[in-house]
Amino acid sequence: MASEGRNYAHLVQDDRVHGDIYLDPDIFDQEMERIFHHGWVYIAHESEFPEPGDFRTSGVGRQPIILTRDEMRHVHVLLNRCTHRAASVCQAERGNARLFRCAYHGWSFRNTGELAGVPYADGYGPDFRREDFGLRSLPRVDSYRGFLFGSVQPTGITLREHLGAPVMEQMDLFCDLSPSGQIDLSAGTHRYGFDGNWKLQVENTIDGYHPNFTHQAFFKGVQQRMGLNMTLFEGNSGGFNRDLGNGHTLLDSRGFSRTDPLSQRRVEMIKLMAKPYYEALVDRHGEAHAEDLLRFNGTHMNIFPNLMLLQNQVRVVGPIRVDRTDIHVQPALLKDAPDVINTMRLRMHEQFYGPAGGGNPDDAEMFERVQVGLQASVDPWLFIGRGLHRERHDSDGTRYGQMTDELSQRGILHHWRKLMLAGESRES
Amino acid sequence: MSFDRDAVESFLFLEARLLDGMAYEAWLELFDEKTLYWMPSNRDHTDPAREVSIVYADRDQLGFRVDQLQSGSAWVQDPPPRLCRAVSNIEIREAEDGDLDVESVVQVMVLRRHKSRTLMGRVQHRLRPHTEGFRIVQKKVVLVDNDEVIDDLTFLV
């Protein structure tokens, strides 16, 4: 490794970061402990296990979990680890079960986590108490708009403190496209991966500089076939790049959408194809906000460290190894919206996203090219200084810059540095 | 039996050869104007109106994909993968109006940047007789691993 060692203040500077943060397996291990096993991490959405008995397996960092809904519809988040000798007790990603039976020695657990049965129980002495051997619960779980987050640590800031008002406002924009304010993640999942570090995807999701280059073929096709001219990602567009604090970042096209003819065209199209849907939004939110919801069409936001809400989709970044990352993308259906709206959302999603989409694979290609380039350590620095001279403070406490600025990358990586340093002082 | 098995096989082999050679414009010519190309995600039991697919495209949207593949800036094709596929287990049934339902198994080796992987799946073609053999009215590709992590598929199967 480079002689700098793991001096995080050196590895992440104001306008540059050292390549080791994407390459060093020891730094990856520390990220797992200091970020994924410490603060709030997105784990699943409530719509993925809606009925009593439903479950969904997921993970927090490296820790396997089961989310269950019991007969009383209470949500439990349990570690997927038999309290006897640690075998995972649930093998399916989704399903419905009242009991989880460990196949190794036959211990069984209710979907509340309680230990229900132990074979040949006379083998345990009088001190053995079943209530001591329930499946362990994730120490903290909380949710906002159905998005469930968990933390391995029993204490720390609340989820609402972690998210902050500007993030929750964007989550509202995402969910309020449903006439009942609820999204539904039952439409299936696109899964793809790349041989590169997880932070490359996080930085890319709110990178307003790359679309006109990485995705030029797609945008050219849109321009030629549909006559639609995408101007949002030009260096002088009215879109903003916003640091929402705590590592959360936003490509903010709200102001842009209010004057953009394409966004208005979408509103008019929805009025034509699904008038009752439009009217339901107006009833609930008033005409001005309903039109804004449709113009904004969701959001384009990172919620640090692993959740992204982009237009129609919920994207989750799964770090596997320092140089391998899996991505799960779920298009969000709008509960109580007409089928024509939800089907349109699916078809639009497929054009750009997923393993055969017109966009995702080119992003993944860039991440793999970065991972190759990073091996050149003669000059190990990556430059993230774009727009540093023109950052501005907004009245809601966020900082913002022009759409193509690298304010959001700085926001992510400077928060990352803060967490890595905080972990270091805890451990020392 | 009123169909010509050799003709059907030759047609599938022609399609395979065009895809292996990334001759997308010629490949697109094999499709009927009102075609549907469907590659489900999440196994085979899906309702495309309510569930996401990997590809769910009409002829125009296939054309959009072909344009992008041939644009010179589809970076995931730079360098292009080397592709070779086998089509086998071909079963043919007569459908209504003289169309044929053809089910086959496809196996594709993909080599790119020194790494190879294999895709495999079941394919259903609905073929309509045409002066130049057949036209594809519908094509459905169910990859074995369509609900697993899967890397680039933009080159199409």
Side-chain angles (χ1 to χ4, degrees):
Chain A
M1 288 281 77
S3 59
E4 288 87 358
R6 302 206 179 84
N7 176 351
Y8 286 108
H10 176 72
L11 293 173
V12 178
Q13 303 186 12
D14 283 354
D15 66 351
R16 65 197 61 211
V17 293
H18 194 285
D20 279 359
I21 71 168
Y22 307 99
L23 286 173
D24 182 344
D26 293 337
I27 290 180
F28 182 83
D29 288 344
Q30 290 181 343
E31 288 175 327
M32 286 295 112
E33 288 311 310
R34 297 174 183 181
I35 297 173
F36 286 88
H37 295 167
H38 193 79
W40 291 102
V41 176
Y42 172 72
I43 48 180
H45 191 271
E46 287 187 18
S47 63
E48 295 180 85
F49 53 111
E51 299 303 323
D54 284 355
F55 68 83
R56 150 101 155 97
T57 49
S58 179
V60 180
R62 287 172 167 149
Q63 312 212 17
I65 59 174
I66 321 169
L67 298 102
T68 67
R69 196 175 293 273
D70 69 21
E71 303 312 303
M72 307 298 292
R73 293 185 175 268
H74 292 136
V75 171
H76 301 266
V77 183
L78 309 166
L79 276 298
N80 190 2
R81 179 193 205 273
C82 184
T83 47
H84 173 220
R85 278 164 58 189
S88 55
V89 298
C90 179
Q91 315 307 316
E93 187 179 19
R94 286 181 173 78
N96 186 286
R98 290 174 56 211
L99 283 177
F100 296 100
R101 187 165 179 275
C102 179
Y104 197 2
H105 303 95
W107 286 34
S108 56
F109 302 87
R110 294 194 177 87
N111 59 15
T112 56
E114 288 167 276
L115 177 59
V118 175
Y120 320 135
D122 61 338
Y124 294 99
D127 294 343
F128 180 83
R129 289 157 29 101
R130 272 192 193 186
E131 53 270 38
D132 292 341
F133 285 90
L135 291 176
R136 303 308 183 212
S137 291
L138 193 65
R140 283 196 300 162
V141 178
D142 199 357
S143 70
Y144 185 74
R145 301 296 300 247
F147 291 90
L148 285 153
F149 295 80
S151 170
V152 173
Q153 293 304 316
T155 58
I157 60 170
T158 65
L159 177 64
R160 275 163 176 71
E161 288 168 329
H162 167 67
L163 296 175
V167 168
M168 291 188 278
E169 184 188 349
Q170 293 295 319
M171 294 171 85
D172 293 342
L173 292 175
F174 187 81
C175 298
D176 284 339
L177 278 168
S178 149
S180 56
Q182 298 172 78
I183 61 152
D184 172 2
L185 296 192
S186 67
T189 308
H190 276 156
R191 296 155 217 261
Y192 59 97
F194 61 91
D195 290 337
N197 187 266
W198 66 280
K199 295 187 290 300
L200 297 174
Q201 173 68 86
V202 178
E203 294 163 17
N204 163 270
T205 298
I206 38 57
D207 182 335
Y209 197 11
H210 84 290
N212 282 349
F213 308 97
T214 304
H215 305 306
Q216 61 174 276
F218 185 85
F219 289 152
K220 198 170 128 199
V222 171
Q223 216 267 329
Q224 284 176 346
R225 288 197 165 240
M226 298 165 215
L228 305 179
N229 208 3
M230 289 274 295
T231 56
L232 178 61
F233 301 113
E234 291 173 1
N236 57 359
S237 95
F240 294 131
N241 189 297
R242 209 175 270 277
D243 177 358
L244 306 179
N246 286 345
H248 314 313
T249 49
L250 174 71
L251 291 187
D252 184 356
S253 56
R254 285 174 293 180
F256 174 89
S257 303
R258 288 202 178 107
T259 56
D260 171 41
L262 288 189
S263 307
Q264 195 54 42
R265 204 162 126 177
R266 186 172 51 243
V267 178
E268 299 308 324
M269 186 183 74
I270 286 169
K271 280 185 198 169
L272 274 179
M273 68 192 271
K275 192 131 208 283
Y277 166 66
Y278 173 77
E279 285 166 353
L281 291 187
V282 171
D283 280 349
R284 197 176 161 99
H285 300 285
E287 189 179 346
H289 190 58
E291 298 228 342
D292 266 353
L293 285 168
L294 294 169
R295 276 189 207 110
F296 301 164
N297 193 28
T299 180
H300 198 128
M301 173 174 63
N302 268 345
I303 300 177
F304 191 88
N306 66 332
L307 173 64
M308 286 127 211
L309 306 182
L310 279 86
Q311 289 89 42
N312 298 347
Q313 76 177 262
V314 174
R315 181 188 290 182
V316 183
V317 171
I320 306 296
R321 294 187 308 273
V322 71
D323 57 359
R324 178 71 199 180
T325 306
D326 286 350
I327 311 288
H328 289 192
V329 173
Q330 293 168 288
L333 301 178
L334 302 174
K335 200 165 177 221
D336 300 313
D339 285 351
V340 62
I341 293 288
N342 278 321
T343 304
M344 179 183 72
R345 285 167 69 90
L346 292 173
R347 297 295 91 85
M348 288 177 66
H349 173 88
E350 289 151 3
Q351 287 184 20
F352 198 77
Y353 297 105
N360 269 171
D362 285 327
D363 283 324
E365 172 68 11
M366 292 308 136
F367 307 153
E368 296 197 350
R369 291 184 186 192
V370 171
Q371 206 70 22
V372 170
L374 284 168
Q375 303 296 328
S377 62
V378 171
D379 172 3
W381 296 99
L382 295 87
F383 183 47
I384 54 167
R386 185 177 169 82
L388 192 57
H389 64 293
R390 56 182 181 187
E391 291 186 2
R392 285 178 282 173
H393 287 267
D394 213 339
S395 54
D396 62 358
T398 63
R399 286 181 308 143
Y400 68 106
Q402 202 271 333
M403 175 57 79
T404 64
D405 287 351
E406 285 163 343
L407 175 66
S408 42
Q409 284 76 21
R410 292 191 289 277
I412 294 162
L413 292 164
H414 293 166
H415 183 68
W416 181 89
R417 173 179 62 192
K418 185 177 149 191
L419 296 180
M420 297 304 274
L421 287 169
E424 192 170 84
S425 27
R426 278 194 305 274
E427 290 158 20
S428 62
Chain B
M1 214 167 64
S2 65
F3 54 81
D4 178 349
R5 187 179 174 88
D6 280 350
V8 171
E9 288 190 354
S10 299
F11 182 79
L12 295 188
F13 298 158
L14 166 68
E15 190 202 4
R17 184 152 35 81
L18 293 174
L19 281 170
D20 282 350
M22 302 181 92
Y24 290 109
E25 279 174 11
W27 175 71
L28 198 57
E29 291 298 310
L30 305 181
F31 287 82
D32 186 79
E33 283 302 320
K34 291 200 173 83
T35 201
L36 169 68
Y37 180 108
W38 182 24
M39 185 188 283
S41 191
N42 307 298
R43 311 292 290 271
D44 192 15
H45 309 288
T46 61
D47 169 6
R50 296 286 300 176
E51 290 171 69
V52 70
S53 300
I54 296 174
V55 183
Y56 191 90
D58 62 19
R59 167 83 187 239
D60 190 53
Q61 287 155 346
L62 277 184
F64 184 94
R65 286 168 184 273
V66 167
D67 286 353
Q68 182 168 350
L69 284 163
Q70 301 198 322
S71 66
S73 48
W75 308 121
V76 73
Q77 312 299 337
D78 173 24
R82 249 177 276 163
L83 304 167
C84 186
R85 74 200 67 204
V87 178
S88 67
N89 304 29
I90 298 169
E91 296 175 272
I92 309 169
R93 281 178 216 90
E94 288 178 69
E96 62 260 32
D97 301 330
D99 288 355
L100 298 176
D101 279 335
V102 183
E103 183 157 340
S104 61
V105 170
V106 67
Q107 183 173 11
V108 194
M109 180 179 164
V110 185
L111 172 69
R112 184 165 184 265
R113 285 224 191 96
H114 322 294
K115 282 189 296 192
S116 66
R117 57 193 168 113
T118 301
L119 299 165
M120 200 158 176
R122 301 198 79 89
V123 184
Q124 295 164 21
H125 284 86
R126 175 161 287 197
L127 300 182
R128 182 160 296 162
H130 182 268
T131 46
E132 296 163 46
F134 297 98
R135 285 291 175 262
I136 303 168
V137 181
Q138 202 177 88
K139 178 173 178 180
K140 181 179 175 188
V141 181
V142 183
L143 295 178
V144 174
D145 54 352
N146 67 11
D147 63 339
E148 297 284 337
V149 169
I150 191 161
D151 290 355
D152 174 44
L153 285 174
T154 53
F155 48 80
L156 297 170
V157 173

